């Protein structure tokens, strides 16, 4: 995402509150820059996030509390034109990593699954802190996007994180990047595979860990 210091005047009439940050990213998949606008924090510790299309049409409006970490990234991980949302959010005692599908009709972020992020760098595994990552490891076969992942691992999460009740296992999603904390150990990861995001979602919602 690009952070804009100068942005179109049309944005002001669409946003309720004092604007703090404006990001530009193509989240609709039409190869045109859309806008994510964040207001300054209010008295309750919340900000309002307004998502506008490139034509300044309202896509979604979200109210959320300020967190220590709130990273967003967009990558097209399936066969529809719009990208999926990579989210890493939380506090110093725990960060939630998740992938969401953007519903183009409702503007809602529909959770696909939570995951454990692991960077592969020089054939070694490192914990995928959001500030160290450059993206999800993918490849294309026959026009189909595949993601490098595993459901067989010895990673144990601690701290204040979300443990989704509907997931039978928290998969590893492999990322590109370079670790700034290489001494942080990562549990063993086995049976690494390339699968579609639909196949990964189905497996993590239905299978047992071992």
């Amino acid at each position: 995402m690009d952070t804009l210091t100068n942005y179109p005047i049309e944005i002001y009439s669409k946003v309720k509150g004092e604007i703090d940050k404006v990001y530009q990213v193509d989240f609709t998949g039409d190869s045109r820059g859309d806008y994510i606008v964040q207001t300054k924090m209010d008295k309750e510790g919340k900000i309002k996030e307004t998502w506008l299309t490139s034509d300044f049409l309202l896509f979604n409006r979200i109210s959320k509390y300020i967190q220590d970490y709130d990273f967003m990234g967009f990558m097209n991980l399936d066969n529809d034109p719009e990208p999926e949302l990579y989210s890493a959010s939380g506090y110093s005692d725990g960060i939630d990593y998740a992938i969401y599908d953007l519903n183009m009709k409702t503007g809602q972020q529909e959770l696909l699954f939570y995951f454990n992020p692991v960077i592969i760098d020089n054939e070694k595994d490192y914990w995928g802190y959001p500030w160290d990552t450059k993206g999800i490891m993918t490849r294309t076969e026959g026009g189909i996007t595949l993601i490098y992942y595993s459901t067989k691992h010895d990673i144990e999460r601690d701290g204040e994180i979300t443990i989704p009740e509907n997931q039978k296992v928290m998969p590893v999603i492999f990322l590109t990047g370079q670790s700034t904390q290489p001494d942080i150990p990562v549990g063993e990861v086995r049976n690494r595979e390339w699968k579609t995001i639909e196949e990964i979602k189905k497996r993590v919602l239905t299978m047992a860990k071992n």
Side-chain angles (χ1 to χ4, degrees), residues 115 127 144 175 191 198 201 208:
F115 65 92
W127 189 251
I144 303 298
L175 312 172
N191 296 10
E198 292 85 2
K201 179 184 177 182

Side-chain angles (χ1 to χ4, degrees), residues 133-164:
T133 62
K134 295 181 179 179
I136 294 172
M137 294 186 67
T138 63
R139 72 183 187 192
T140 302
E141 291 185 0
I144 303 298
T145 299
L146 303 177
I147 299 170
Y148 202 34
Y149 95 112
S150 175
T151 56
K152 305 295 185 181
H153 59 80
D154 296 330
I155 294 174
E156 298 292 341
R157 300 286 299 278
D158 55 10
E160 297 294 325
I161 64 169
T162 301
I163 305 296

Side-chain angles (χ1 to χ4, degrees), residues 37 39 53 76 130 167:
V37 186
T39 62
T53 70
N76 196 334
Q167 282 189 220

Side-chain angles (χ1 to χ4, degrees), residues 53-136:
T53 70
S54 56
D55 294 323
F56 309 106
L57 299 177
L58 180 64
F59 182 76
N60 196 8
R61 186 174 281 122
I62 303 168
S63 179
K64 61 185 183 181
Y65 285 102
I66 290 291
Q67 302 179 86
D68 294 340
Y69 307 106
D70 189 11
F71 291 82
M72 290 187 294
F74 295 85
M75 289 186 66
N76 196 334
L77 301 173
D78 56 20
N79 294 325
D80 55 32
E82 70 272 7
E84 278 62 52
L85 170 63
Y86 163 92
S87 171
S89 60
Y91 301 90
S92 56
D93 59 351
I95 300 176
D96 288 326
Y97 301 85
I99 297 176
Y100 294 84
D101 187 51
L102 298 181
N103 188 313
M104 292 294 105
K105 294 182 179 179
T106 66
Q108 299 300 307
Q109 301 172 12
E110 299 178 352
L111 176 66
L112 296 178
F113 51 81
Y114 288 88
F115 65 92
N116 295 308
V118 174
I119 291 173
I120 298 180
D121 184 26
N122 291 324
E123 300 183 352
K124 294 183 179 180
D125 293 344
Y126 304 96
W127 189 251
Y129 293 106
W131 50 87
D132 292 340
T133 62
K134 295 181 179 179
I136 294 172

Side-chain angles (χ1 to χ4, degrees), residues 3 26 31 52 56 77 93 117 122 125 143 164 170 178 182 195 202:
T3 302
D26 176 20
S31 300
L52 301 171
F56 309 106
L77 301 173
D93 59 351
N122 291 324
D125 293 344
M170 189 89 76
Q178 187 172 22
K195 294 291 184 181
K202 181 178 180 181

